[in-house]
Amino acid sequence: VQLQASGGGLVQAGASLRLSCAASGGTFRNYVVGWFRQGPGKDREFLAVTDKIGGSPMYGDSVKGRFTISRDSSKNMVYLQMNSLKPEDTAAYFCAASYRYGSSPTLYTYWGQGTLVTVSS
């Protein structure tokens, strides 16, 4: 499966952005899709994941209550709604697909190219 993340940009603190992840080339229902990010000089950080039918959302502690993940299986799309953005949210954001539900990056076999989010103070 191929993944393409989009929707990043430059915003001010407090703003919102919605990232999109388009999946192609595979059977979408076979995969869990999660979101991760990696800031400059930092490790890759888990943000959010749902199960294969869009249920059981799980969030990383740093984004809980601000970010919402959703999945539209009819369009092979997964979204990440990001509200109340902070400068520390500045990072490259990636979507990734796994056969198994979880938060560890090691579970994810397929990775899209990142989309850059920059939050100014």
Side-chain angles (χ1 to χ4, degrees), residues 53-75:
I53 58 172
S56 302
M58 178 169 60
Y59 297 95
D61 288 342
S62 64
V63 304
K64 206 171 291 183
R66 298 189 298 126
F67 290 11
T68 303
I69 189 171
S70 60
R71 175 174 174 134
D72 186 342
S73 294
S74 69
K75 297 180 180 178

PDB file of all heavy atoms in Angstrom, residues 53-75:
ATOM      1  N   ILE A  53     -11.791  -0.276  11.145  1.00  0.00           N
ATOM      2  CA  ILE A  53     -13.095   0.247  10.756  1.00  0.00           C
ATOM      3  C   ILE A  53     -13.321   1.643  11.321  1.00  0.00           C
ATOM      4  O   ILE A  53     -14.429   2.158  11.299  1.00  0.00           O
ATOM      5  CB  ILE A  53     -14.242  -0.697  11.182  1.00  0.00           C
ATOM      6  CG1 ILE A  53     -14.226  -0.931  12.696  1.00  0.00           C
ATOM      7  CG2 ILE A  53     -14.148  -2.025  10.430  1.00  0.00           C
ATOM      8  CD1 ILE A  53     -15.437  -1.693  13.198  1.00  0.00           C
ATOM      9  N   GLY A  54     -12.263   2.258  11.809  1.00  0.00           N
ATOM     10  CA  GLY A  54     -12.362   3.637  12.277  1.00  0.00           C
ATOM     11  C   GLY A  54     -12.757   3.794  13.724  1.00  0.00           C
ATOM     12  O   GLY A  54     -13.011   4.917  14.171  1.00  0.00           O
ATOM     13  N   GLY A  55     -12.789   2.709  14.457  1.00  0.00           N
ATOM     14  CA  GLY A  55     -13.132   2.780  15.864  1.00  0.00           C
ATOM     15  C   GLY A  55     -11.897   2.726  16.754  1.00  0.00           C
ATOM     16  O   GLY A  55     -10.766   2.742  16.282  1.00  0.00           O
ATOM     17  N   SER A  56     -12.134   2.674  18.049  1.00  0.00           N
ATOM     18  CA  SER A  56     -11.086   2.539  19.070  1.00  0.00           C
ATOM     19  C   SER A  56      -9.939   3.526  18.897  1.00  0.00           C
ATOM     20  O   SER A  56      -8.766   3.141  18.828  1.00  0.00           O
ATOM     21  CB  SER A  56     -10.527   1.105  19.066  1.00  0.00           C
ATOM     22  OG  SER A  56     -11.547   0.168  19.295  1.00  0.00           O
ATOM     23  N   PRO A  57     -10.227   4.815  18.802  1.00  0.00           N
ATOM     24  CA  PRO A  57      -9.139   5.779  18.646  1.00  0.00           C
ATOM     25  C   PRO A  57      -8.218   5.789  19.859  1.00  0.00           C
ATOM     26  O   PRO A  57      -8.672   5.684  20.997  1.00  0.00           O
ATOM     27  CB  PRO A  57      -9.861   7.111  18.482  1.00  0.00           C
ATOM     28  CG  PRO A  57     -11.177   6.926  19.167  1.00  0.00           C
ATOM     29  CD  PRO A  57     -11.544   5.488  18.927  1.00  0.00           C
ATOM     30  N   MET A  58      -6.947   5.900  19.595  1.00  0.00           N
ATOM     31  CA  MET A  58      -5.937   5.995  20.643  1.00  0.00           C
ATOM     32  C   MET A  58      -5.020   7.161  20.307  1.00  0.00           C
ATOM     33  O   MET A  58      -4.656   7.345  19.143  1.00  0.00           O
ATOM     34  CB  MET A  58      -5.137   4.690  20.729  1.00  0.00           C
ATOM     35  CG  MET A  58      -4.023   4.706  21.756  1.00  0.00           C
ATOM     36  SD  MET A  58      -3.310   3.076  22.069  1.00  0.00           S
ATOM     37  CE  MET A  58      -2.707   2.594  20.458  1.00  0.00           C
ATOM     38  N   TYR A  59      -4.653   7.929  21.332  1.00  0.00           N
ATOM     39  CA  TYR A  59      -3.873   9.142  21.123  1.00  0.00           C
ATOM     40  C   TYR A  59      -2.634   9.158  21.999  1.00  0.00           C
ATOM     41  O   TYR A  59      -2.633   8.633  23.112  1.00  0.00           O
ATOM     42  CB  TYR A  59      -4.717  10.377  21.427  1.00  0.00           C
ATOM     43  CG  TYR A  59      -5.905  10.528  20.519  1.00  0.00           C
ATOM     44  CD1 TYR A  59      -7.158  10.056  20.890  1.00  0.00           C
ATOM     45  CD2 TYR A  59      -5.767  11.132  19.270  1.00  0.00           C
ATOM     46  CE1 TYR A  59      -8.253  10.176  20.042  1.00  0.00           C
ATOM     47  CE2 TYR A  59      -6.860  11.260  18.418  1.00  0.00           C
ATOM     48  CZ  TYR A  59      -8.094  10.777  18.818  1.00  0.00           C
ATOM     49  OH  TYR A  59      -9.161  10.894  17.972  1.00  0.00           O
ATOM     50  N   GLY A  60      -1.596   9.822  21.484  1.00  0.00           N
ATOM     51  CA  GLY A  60      -0.444  10.090  22.305  1.00  0.00           C
ATOM     52  C   GLY A  60      -0.773  11.145  23.352  1.00  0.00           C
ATOM     53  O   GLY A  60      -1.634  12.001  23.135  1.00  0.00           O
ATOM     54  N   ASP A  61      -0.070  11.107  24.455  1.00  0.00           N
ATOM     55  CA  ASP A  61      -0.388  12.009  25.560  1.00  0.00           C
ATOM     56  C   ASP A  61      -0.261  13.479  25.173  1.00  0.00           C
ATOM     57  O   ASP A  61      -1.025  14.317  25.658  1.00  0.00           O
ATOM     58  CB  ASP A  61       0.537  11.712  26.746  1.00  0.00           C
ATOM     59  CG  ASP A  61       0.205  10.398  27.435  1.00  0.00           C
ATOM     60  OD1 ASP A  61      -0.916   9.888  27.227  1.00  0.00           O
ATOM     61  OD2 ASP A  61       1.060   9.884  28.168  1.00  0.00           O
ATOM     62  N   SER A  62       0.681  13.789  24.309  1.00  0.00           N
ATOM     63  CA  SER A  62       0.933  15.193  23.990  1.00  0.00           C
ATOM     64  C   SER A  62      -0.164  15.814  23.130  1.00  0.00           C
ATOM     65  O   SER A  62      -0.230  17.044  23.016  1.00  0.00           O
ATOM     66  CB  SER A  62       2.283  15.338  23.290  1.00  0.00           C
ATOM     67  OG  SER A  62       2.272  14.670  22.044  1.00  0.00           O
ATOM     68  N   VAL A  63      -1.011  15.001  22.527  1.00  0.00           N
ATOM     69  CA  VAL A  63      -2.043  15.541  21.626  1.00  0.00           C
ATOM     70  C   VAL A  63      -3.451  15.196  22.069  1.00  0.00           C
ATOM     71  O   VAL A  63      -4.419  15.636  21.443  1.00  0.00           O
ATOM     72  CB  VAL A  63      -1.817  15.060  20.178  1.00  0.00           C
ATOM     73  CG1 VAL A  63      -0.414  15.440  19.713  1.00  0.00           C
ATOM     74  CG2 VAL A  63      -2.052  13.557  20.033  1.00  0.00           C
ATOM     75  N   LYS A  64      -3.575  14.441  23.126  1.00  0.00           N
ATOM     76  CA  LYS A  64      -4.891  14.023  23.607  1.00  0.00           C
ATOM     77  C   LYS A  64      -5.728  15.242  23.939  1.00  0.00           C
ATOM     78  O   LYS A  64      -5.266  16.168  24.610  1.00  0.00           O
ATOM     79  CB  LYS A  64      -4.702  13.140  24.843  1.00  0.00           C
ATOM     80  CG  LYS A  64      -5.799  12.160  25.105  1.00  0.00           C
ATOM     81  CD  LYS A  64      -5.408  11.202  26.224  1.00  0.00           C
ATOM     82  CE  LYS A  64      -4.300  10.261  25.815  1.00  0.00           C
ATOM     83  NZ  LYS A  64      -3.970   9.279  26.874  1.00  0.00           N
ATOM     84  N   GLY A  65      -6.943  15.267  23.420  1.00  0.00           N
ATOM     85  CA  GLY A  65      -7.840  16.396  23.665  1.00  0.00           C
ATOM     86  C   GLY A  65      -7.715  17.513  22.646  1.00  0.00           C
ATOM     87  O   GLY A  65      -8.571  18.400  22.589  1.00  0.00           O
ATOM     88  N   ARG A  66      -6.660  17.495  21.836  1.00  0.00           N
ATOM     89  CA  ARG A  66      -6.478  18.534  20.810  1.00  0.00           C
ATOM     90  C   ARG A  66      -6.582  17.967  19.397  1.00  0.00           C
ATOM     91  O   ARG A  66      -7.034  18.656  18.486  1.00  0.00           O
ATOM     92  CB  ARG A  66      -5.104  19.203  20.974  1.00  0.00           C
ATOM     93  CG  ARG A  66      -4.921  19.911  22.284  1.00  0.00           C
ATOM     94  CD  ARG A  66      -3.636  20.735  22.267  1.00  0.00           C
ATOM     95  NE  ARG A  66      -2.442  19.912  22.087  1.00  0.00           N
ATOM     96  CZ  ARG A  66      -1.537  20.108  21.139  1.00  0.00           C
ATOM     97  NH1 ARG A  66      -1.677  21.091  20.272  1.00  0.00           N
ATOM     98  NH2 ARG A  66      -0.474  19.318  21.065  1.00  0.00           N
ATOM     99  N   PHE A  67      -6.158  16.740  19.219  1.00  0.00           N
ATOM    100  CA  PHE A  67      -6.154  16.116  17.886  1.00  0.00           C
ATOM    101  C   PHE A  67      -7.234  15.042  17.829  1.00  0.00           C
ATOM    102  O   PHE A  67      -7.494  14.353  18.818  1.00  0.00           O
ATOM    103  CB  PHE A  67      -4.805  15.466  17.593  1.00  0.00           C
ATOM    104  CG  PHE A  67      -3.653  16.416  17.382  1.00  0.00           C
ATOM    105  CD1 PHE A  67      -3.760  17.769  17.664  1.00  0.00           C
ATOM    106  CD2 PHE A  67      -2.452  15.947  16.884  1.00  0.00           C
ATOM    107  CE1 PHE A  67      -2.702  18.646  17.468  1.00  0.00           C
ATOM    108  CE2 PHE A  67      -1.375  16.791  16.682  1.00  0.00           C
ATOM    109  CZ  PHE A  67      -1.507  18.148  16.974  1.00  0.00           C
ATOM    110  N   THR A  68      -7.820  14.881  16.645  1.00  0.00           N
ATOM    111  CA  THR A  68      -8.837  13.859  16.431  1.00  0.00           C
ATOM    112  C   THR A  68      -8.543  13.115  15.137  1.00  0.00           C
ATOM    113  O   THR A  68      -8.386  13.751  14.088  1.00  0.00           O
ATOM    114  CB  THR A  68     -10.235  14.481  16.355  1.00  0.00           C
ATOM    115  OG1 THR A  68     -10.495  15.211  17.560  1.00  0.00           O
ATOM    116  CG2 THR A  68     -11.288  13.400  16.191  1.00  0.00           C
ATOM    117  N   ILE A  69      -8.500  11.806  15.216  1.00  0.00           N
ATOM    118  CA  ILE A  69      -8.279  10.983  14.030  1.00  0.00           C
ATOM    119  C   ILE A  69      -9.612  10.451  13.536  1.00  0.00           C
ATOM    120  O   ILE A  69     -10.507  10.146  14.327  1.00  0.00           O
ATOM    121  CB  ILE A  69      -7.307   9.822  14.331  1.00  0.00           C
ATOM    122  CG1 ILE A  69      -6.908   9.091  13.046  1.00  0.00           C
ATOM    123  CG2 ILE A  69      -7.879   8.865  15.364  1.00  0.00           C
ATOM    124  CD1 ILE A  69      -5.792   8.071  13.240  1.00  0.00           C
ATOM    125  N   SER A  70      -9.743  10.370  12.217  1.00  0.00           N
ATOM    126  CA  SER A  70     -10.949   9.780  11.636  1.00  0.00           C
ATOM    127  C   SER A  70     -10.560   9.026  10.368  1.00  0.00           C
ATOM    128  O   SER A  70      -9.521   9.290   9.773  1.00  0.00           O
ATOM    129  CB  SER A  70     -12.001  10.851  11.329  1.00  0.00           C
ATOM    130  OG  SER A  70     -11.498  11.807  10.410  1.00  0.00           O
ATOM    131  N   ARG A  71     -11.431   8.120   9.990  1.00  0.00           N
ATOM    132  CA  ARG A  71     -11.135   7.251   8.848  1.00  0.00           C
ATOM    133  C   ARG A  71     -12.371   7.172   7.970  1.00  0.00           C
ATOM    134  O   ARG A  71     -13.479   6.943   8.467  1.00  0.00           O
ATOM    135  CB  ARG A  71     -10.746   5.863   9.362  1.00  0.00           C
ATOM    136  CG  ARG A  71     -10.509   4.800   8.300  1.00  0.00           C
ATOM    137  CD  ARG A  71      -9.984   3.541   8.946  1.00  0.00           C
ATOM    138  NE  ARG A  71      -9.868   2.438   7.982  1.00  0.00           N
ATOM    139  CZ  ARG A  71      -8.801   1.662   7.888  1.00  0.00           C
ATOM    140  NH1 ARG A  71      -7.757   1.858   8.671  1.00  0.00           N
ATOM    141  NH2 ARG A  71      -8.779   0.679   6.995  1.00  0.00           N
ATOM    142  N   ASP A  72     -12.206   7.373   6.669  1.00  0.00           N
ATOM    143  CA  ASP A  72     -13.285   7.231   5.704  1.00  0.00           C
ATOM    144  C   ASP A  72     -12.893   6.093   4.768  1.00  0.00           C
ATOM    145  O   ASP A  72     -12.163   6.303   3.784  1.00  0.00           O
ATOM    146  CB  ASP A  72     -13.495   8.536   4.930  1.00  0.00           C
ATOM    147  CG  ASP A  72     -14.698   8.487   4.013  1.00  0.00           C
ATOM    148  OD1 ASP A  72     -15.172   7.372   3.698  1.00  0.00           O
ATOM    149  OD2 ASP A  72     -15.158   9.561   3.604  1.00  0.00           O
ATOM    150  N   SER A  73     -13.365   4.897   5.082  1.00  0.00           N
ATOM    151  CA  SER A  73     -12.960   3.734   4.306  1.00  0.00           C
ATOM    152  C   SER A  73     -13.529   3.751   2.888  1.00  0.00           C
ATOM    153  O   SER A  73     -12.985   3.119   1.996  1.00  0.00           O
ATOM    154  CB  SER A  73     -13.368   2.454   5.031  1.00  0.00           C
ATOM    155  OG  SER A  73     -12.637   2.322   6.244  1.00  0.00           O
ATOM    156  N   SER A  74     -14.617   4.499   2.669  1.00  0.00           N
ATOM    157  CA  SER A  74     -15.189   4.585   1.322  1.00  0.00           C
ATOM    158  C   SER A  74     -14.269   5.350   0.379  1.00  0.00           C
ATOM    159  O   SER A  74     -14.349   5.196  -0.843  1.00  0.00           O
ATOM    160  CB  SER A  74     -16.560   5.241   1.364  1.00  0.00           C
ATOM    161  OG  SER A  74     -16.448   6.613   1.698  1.00  0.00           O
ATOM    162  N   LYS A  75     -13.393   6.167   0.956  1.00  0.00           N
ATOM    163  CA  LYS A  75     -12.466   6.978   0.159  1.00  0.00           C
ATOM    164  C   LYS A  75     -11.010   6.573   0.363  1.00  0.00           C
ATOM    165  O   LYS A  75     -10.103   7.219  -0.179  1.00  0.00           O
ATOM    166  CB  LYS A  75     -12.629   8.453   0.516  1.00  0.00           C
ATOM    167  CG  LYS A  75     -13.997   9.016   0.211  1.00  0.00           C
ATOM    168  CD  LYS A  75     -14.098  10.491   0.594  1.00  0.00           C
ATOM    169  CE  LYS A  75     -15.477  11.047   0.279  1.00  0.00           C
ATOM    170  NZ  LYS A  75     -15.597  12.463   0.687  1.00  0.00           N
TER     171      LYS A  75
END
